[in-house]
Amino acid sequence: MTRKLANLWENFVNKFFLYVPTFVVCITFLPCGLVFGYTICSLIAERNVNAGLIEYGPMIFGACTGCVIAVIMFLVKFYKGRIIFWHIPILLCAGVSNLLASCFYFANGLDTAGAFISYFAYSLNYIAGLSFLHTTLHKRSRSIMLTLAFSIFLLGTASAVSLVGTSYTKTDNNLNATATQVPKGLYVPFAGLYFTISIVILAVLIGCKVMDYLGIVDCQNILDNEFRIANSNGSIFDKRNDIIKRVKFLYVTKNQQWNVTLVVLFTEAIQYALFVYYIFWFVMNPAIRLTEVDNVAAMLWVVFAGSVVCILIVIFFSVKVTFVSNECCLIILCILSMIICNSVDTTVPLWFILFFFGLSFSNLQISLVEVTHFRYTELLFFVSYLAKLISTSMVYYYFVSNSKNSFFYATDRSTIMAQGFVYMIITALVALVVGVKVPRTHCMTLFEIQYDLLGIIFKQHEIEQLDVTCLQDGSIPTISAHMHY
């Protein structure tokens, strides 16, 4: 009995230190969520007080930073011919930037300066963090850990909106701020949380790096054996024709990798734009408003709850099945909302819509991580990141900031019903496209996914049917016998 307990404890410790770098990288998405929460809440506050709390400069600067770091990481992989593990140093740079940025939010009027540095750190963290998780995880933990990372992102978002929204309302009531005056001390509670989290995460990153130096953990360990071998022998970036020439037992169909990648990028941008739109709409439109500005955090906490539940769901189902099911539920909830909310004074279906937004928040982003070409991962992550910034900016510019926008601020029933029909059509199309074009990737290695997308059919039961001579002489080939990865 004692030996069994000792073995269990030993296995737990080994697993713990094996996944320490992964958990650390997941936690680094918390400041990213804080930055996004600050953006959402400050845009709402700007709409209310017209004080210019945030401009588009920080997001443009973040996009430029993301482009530079993505191109640099791509060029390093291009010239080295393999993946270079410098993700943790980049995340350390992002951690220092977050710590510096948090200091600016303590001073009144300097939050925009802090936003520039925050988006610099956000860009580094998002691209390097996703690249690290894409590289190191194996088939059983990939979806779970990526969902955890985006759930932590939403935790930061909800926390930031809680502090900024509450501070804004209290300060506005106490000081009777005018429509052109920014209340003092608006971001002090947010700055305190941001500063504390930045110190903790920076300390954790430094500790992880020290343990890596001492050999306690391995920040360059790829849990997928096939992926690790391919990276070490330089065959990880082989072209499709090279794979076809090298592998004996296969047949080839159409190459769908870039088609699927573009589909995922496009649908992810649409889904994220819908998410941002409805967050603003549920707060700003008086006819459909779920909560007041000081209570807007309740909506984000519901979204966060949905993302936590999604961690359990992806253990058993692929992200494709999860996403399509969520979209079907959103269509049903939209129909119920249009029927019930117009006849009964209740907003319950709308709160469930937010919950299912949380369930589907990370699905397409995980699909993008899984289907991207190994050489271009960072560039594609940047395109995804850029699409998020553009979605947030355009939704705010064309809808939220314009009080005369009759479509967004409409209170008559017919216009609201029209918006519901448009939403159902878009959601149905997105679900249909994802269901048809995106493959199921549950518990599949990255190479298995890549072979499927490249149209290289290389599976044991099909090999046995194709190579008849091997069956006649009694030697049945297997995948492991001819794999070079």
Side-chain angles (χ1 to χ4, degrees), residues 128-309:
L130 283 185
S131 177
F132 182 86
L133 295 175
H134 164 266
T135 303
T136 58
L137 294 172
H138 61 66
K139 61 182 181 180
R140 296 193 179 277
S141 63
R142 186 173 58 246
S143 297
I144 299 172
M145 299 307 294
L146 285 167
T147 307
L148 175 63
F150 286 110
S151 180
I152 291 174
F153 175 89
L154 290 174
L155 173 62
T157 302
S159 301
V161 173
S162 296
L163 295 173
V164 176
T166 304
S167 298
Y168 172 76
T169 305
K170 289 182 178 178
T171 310
D172 186 53
N173 291 337
N174 294 337
L175 299 181
N176 295 319
T178 64
T180 58
Q181 179 184 2
V182 181
K184 293 182 178 180
L186 176 59
Y187 296 113
V188 171
F190 167 74
L193 178 65
Y194 193 8
F195 181 77
T196 304
I197 289 176
S198 299
I199 291 178
V200 172
I201 290 179
L202 186 58
V204 170
L205 283 168
I206 293 174
C208 183
K209 189 64 179 176
V210 171
M211 288 192 295
D212 179 57
Y213 178 78
L214 296 176
I216 300 174
V217 300
D218 188 359
C219 294
Q220 300 185 16
N221 182 34
I222 301 176
L223 300 179
D224 187 336
N225 293 329
E226 189 180 10
F227 200 81
R228 182 177 65 253
I229 295 171
N231 189 53
S232 62
N233 64 24
S235 63
I236 189 170
F237 299 137
D238 281 355
K239 296 180 180 178
R240 183 172 183 261
N241 291 335
D242 296 331
I243 299 174
I244 293 173
K245 292 176 181 178
R246 184 175 66 248
V247 181
K248 179 180 179 182
F249 303 103
L250 56 81
Y251 68 87
V252 180
T253 60
K254 187 178 179 181
N255 183 359
Q256 294 286 341
Q257 184 168 43
W258 283 106
N259 292 340
V260 173
T261 301
L262 293 176
V263 165
V264 174
L265 279 172
F266 180 70
T267 52
E268 182 195 6
I270 293 176
Q271 182 72 9
Y272 194 84
L274 288 175
F275 169 71
V276 175
Y277 178 88
Y278 278 96
I279 289 296
F280 283 134
W281 196 50
F282 286 153
V283 176
M284 307 305 299
N285 190 304
I288 207 71
R289 178 179 292 154
L290 295 183
T291 180
E292 299 299 327
V293 175
D294 61 329
N295 234 358
V296 63
M299 297 166 50
L300 274 303
W301 286 113
V302 171
V303 176
F304 167 68
S307 69
V308 173
V309 174

Side-chain angles (χ1 to χ4, degrees), residues 318-441:
S318 67
V319 291
K320 171 185 175 178
V321 173
T322 304
F323 178 78
V324 173
S325 301
N326 288 335
E327 296 303 284
C328 293
C329 291
L330 284 172
I331 294 174
I332 295 173
L333 286 170
C334 185
I335 296 174
L336 291 176
S337 300
M338 295 167 63
I339 296 174
I340 297 175
C341 295
N342 286 324
S343 57
V344 181
D345 187 16
T346 180
T347 58
V348 173
L350 301 178
W351 286 99
F352 275 104
I353 286 178
L354 289 173
F355 178 80
F356 279 94
F357 264 126
L359 280 175
S360 61
F361 182 82
S362 62
N363 294 156
L364 292 180
Q365 300 176 81
I366 295 172
S367 293
L368 180 63
V369 172
E370 294 178 329
V371 303
T372 54
H373 192 288
F374 299 153
R375 189 188 293 275
Y376 306 105
T377 49
E378 289 79 15
L379 294 177
L380 293 169
F381 294 158
F382 163 70
V383 174
S384 172
Y385 172 68
L386 180 64
K388 291 178 174 58
L389 298 182
I390 293 175
S391 297
T392 305
S393 303
M394 291 185 64
V395 168
Y396 172 75
Y397 180 78
Y398 286 107
F399 296 100
V400 181
S401 63
N402 184 10
S403 60
K404 296 181 181 180
N405 191 316
S406 59
F407 183 78
F408 184 82
Y409 290 100
T411 57
D412 57 289
R413 181 177 300 180
S414 60
T415 304
I416 295 176
M417 293 285 283
Q419 294 190 56
F421 282 116
V422 171
Y423 170 72
M424 285 191 295
I425 293 172
I426 295 175
T427 304
L429 290 175
V430 169
L432 180 63
V433 170
V434 172
V436 172
K437 297 295 293 183
V438 178
R440 292 184 63 181
T441 57

Side-chain angles (χ1 to χ4, degrees), residues 73-84 231 234 236-237 375:
M73 296 182 76
F74 163 73
L75 291 176
V76 170
K77 290 199 300 186
F78 182 82
Y79 286 110
K80 294 291 185 179
R82 62 188 181 90
I83 297 173
I84 305 299
N231 189 53
I236 189 170
F237 299 137
R375 189 188 293 275

Side-chain angles (χ1 to χ4, degrees), residues 85-116:
F85 285 88
W86 56 324
H87 306 86
I88 299 300
I90 295 176
L91 293 175
L92 280 168
C93 180
V96 173
S97 301
N98 279 319
L99 182 60
L100 178 62
S102 64
C103 299
F104 284 89
Y105 293 95
F106 286 101
N108 188 43
L110 293 180
D111 61 289
T112 302
F116 275 92

Side-chain angles (χ1 to χ4, degrees), residues 428-459:
L429 290 175
V430 169
L432 180 63
V433 170
V434 172
V436 172
K437 297 295 293 183
V438 178
R440 292 184 63 181
T441 57
H442 186 58
C443 290
M444 292 176 64
T445 66
L446 291 175
F447 273 106
E448 289 174 342
I449 298 171
Q450 179 178 250
Y451 288 151
D452 190 16
L453 294 172
L454 292 176
I456 301 175
I457 309 302
F458 187 50
K459 297 180 180 178

